[in-house]
């Protein structure tokens, strides 16, 4: 009797264990599928759109050093102090209607006058003349800066040559629009105000983009798709009817 009573119980235990095993395997597979679905970096085929083709974090794009820490407010006290000092200087120059170049020249005039008088008066008052340190730029540093500037200027000149030759109408219109906007901004404000605006933008836009990069990238992707559609229509109706420039290179056989 005990044998007959034990067999149904063992059979029921096996059935329950199989049901549990099947439930666990199905739940784990569903969890892995959901992870792959909601994780954009889970599969190699999924490619997330990033603004300006960005593949690195914002901190690395800005250089990854102390300036990047300041722009991204890693240390809020330092960032707030830098922005506060820049704001105070801008307000000071705007209220006094003083120019930065004029201030630098006046400081140099005052410093040279004090040192000149001190050096000549030291012989009469029996005191040592002021010690003026000898300052010089290292040759390697100057060569590196000049080389970097030369490369950037050559690249800019090559781009301007390609645009002027009539090969890329899209780049031509973009450069013209950018220069026109820059001329308007330059007409509105002086160099110091423009520099301050750029400085404030560097302290606000990167940190906001780092905080809301997914939403911004999604919106930028939709905007780029719409811009490409409108440009395709404009190209078909207008640009394709414009004759090509004579400087376009012929294809080599």
């Amino acid at each position: 009797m005990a044998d007959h009573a034990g067999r149904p119980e063992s059979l029921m235990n096996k059935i329950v264990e199989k049901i549990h095993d099947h439930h666990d395997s199905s739940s784990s597979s569903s969890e892995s599928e959901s992870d792959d679905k909601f994780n954009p970096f889970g599969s190699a085929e999924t490619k997330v759109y990033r603004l300006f083709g960005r593949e690195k974090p914002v901190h690395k794009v800005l250089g990854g050093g102390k300036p990047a820490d300041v722009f991204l407010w890693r240390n809020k006290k330092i960032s707030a102090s830098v922005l506060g000092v820049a704001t105070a200087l801008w307000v000071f120059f705007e209220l006094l209607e003083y120019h930065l170049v004029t201030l630098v020249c006046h400081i140099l005039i005052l410093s040279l006058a004090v040192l000149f008088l001190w050096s000549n008066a030291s012989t009469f008052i029996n005191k040592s003349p002021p010690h003026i340190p000898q300052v010089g730029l290292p040759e390697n540093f100057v060569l590196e800066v000049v080389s970097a500037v030369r490369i950037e200027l050559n690249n800019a000149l090559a781009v301007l040559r390609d645009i002027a030759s009539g090969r890329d109408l899209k780049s031509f219109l973009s450069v013209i629009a950018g220069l026109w906007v820059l001329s308007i901004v330059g007409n509105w404000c002086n160099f110091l105000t423009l520099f301050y605006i750029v400085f404030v933008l560097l302290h606000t836009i990167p940190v906001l983009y780092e905080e809301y990069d997914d939403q911004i990238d999604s919106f930028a992707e939709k905007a780029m798709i719409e811009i490409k559609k409108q440009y395709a229509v404009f190209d078909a109706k207008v640009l394709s009817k414009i004759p090509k420039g004579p400087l376009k290179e012929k294809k080599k056989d």
Side-chain angles (χ1 to χ4, degrees):
M1 294 293 293
D3 227 2
H4 290 292
R7 286 180 183 176
E9 290 180 0
S10 61
L11 181 61
M12 289 298 297
N13 290 335
K14 291 180 179 179
I15 293 173
V16 170
E17 288 177 359
K18 289 183 178 179
I19 293 173
H20 279 296
D21 293 339
H22 178 72
H23 177 71
D24 293 339
S25 62
S26 62
S27 62
S28 62
S29 62
S30 63
E31 286 178 359
S32 62
E33 289 177 359
S34 62
D35 291 340
D36 293 339
K37 181 179 180 181
F38 291 104
N39 185 11
F41 302 101
S43 61
E45 296 178 356
T46 305
K47 185 177 180 180
V48 180
Y49 178 85
R50 293 299 180 186
L51 195 61
F52 304 117
R54 177 178 63 88
E55 297 180 356
K56 299 179 181 179
V58 181
H59 191 268
K60 293 293 183 182
V61 173
L62 294 176
K66 292 183 179 180
D69 294 338
V70 173
F71 292 141
L72 295 176
W73 295 75
R74 293 290 191 264
N75 191 328
K76 295 183 178 180
K77 292 183 178 179
I78 296 177
S79 300
S81 301
V82 172
L83 187 59
V85 170
T87 303
L89 289 174
W90 178 75
V91 172
F92 172 77
F93 284 109
E94 287 296 320
L95 291 179
L96 296 182
E97 295 183 356
Y98 211 51
H99 298 287
L100 182 61
V101 177
T102 305
L103 176 64
V104 172
C105 292
H106 287 174
I107 291 175
L108 290 175
I109 291 172
L110 181 61
S111 302
L112 290 174
V114 170
L115 292 174
F116 181 81
L117 293 176
W118 187 0
S119 300
N120 286 278
S122 60
T123 56
F124 298 100
I125 59 178
N126 295 324
K127 287 189 176 181
S128 60
H131 176 68
I132 303 174
Q134 185 176 0
V135 181
L137 294 176
E139 183 179 359
N140 293 333
F141 174 75
V142 175
L143 292 177
E144 290 176 0
V145 172
V146 172
S147 177
V149 172
R150 181 184 64 85
I151 293 173
E152 295 299 329
L153 286 177
N154 288 336
N155 292 334
L157 292 174
V159 171
L160 291 176
R161 182 181 179 276
D162 290 338
I163 293 174
S165 63
R167 297 173 184 173
D168 192 350
L169 185 58
K170 183 179 178 180
S171 299
F172 170 75
L173 295 176
S174 301
V175 171
I176 294 298
L179 293 175
W180 180 67
V181 171
L182 186 61
S183 65
I184 293 176
V185 174
N187 192 27
W188 285 346
C189 56
N190 55 26
F191 178 77
L192 181 62
T193 302
L194 182 62
F195 180 79
Y196 175 71
I197 292 173
V198 173
F199 192 78
V200 172
L201 291 177
L202 286 174
H203 276 79
T204 52
I205 292 179
V207 65
L208 291 176
Y209 177 69
E210 187 183 39
E211 184 70 20
Y212 305 103
D213 58 347
D214 292 335
Q215 295 88 336
I216 295 174
D217 289 338
S218 177
F219 177 78
E221 183 179 12
K222 296 177 181 178
M224 287 301 298
I225 293 174
E226 186 63 27
I227 290 173
K228 288 180 180 179
K229 289 181 180 179
Q230 297 300 326
Y231 178 77
V233 175
F234 181 70
D235 186 22
K237 293 183 178 180
V238 179
L239 300 183
S240 60
K241 298 179 181 180
I242 298 176
K244 301 297 182 180
L247 296 179
K248 186 175 181 179
E249 295 180 356
K250 297 181 180 180
K251 294 182 179 180
K252 295 182 179 180
D253 296 336

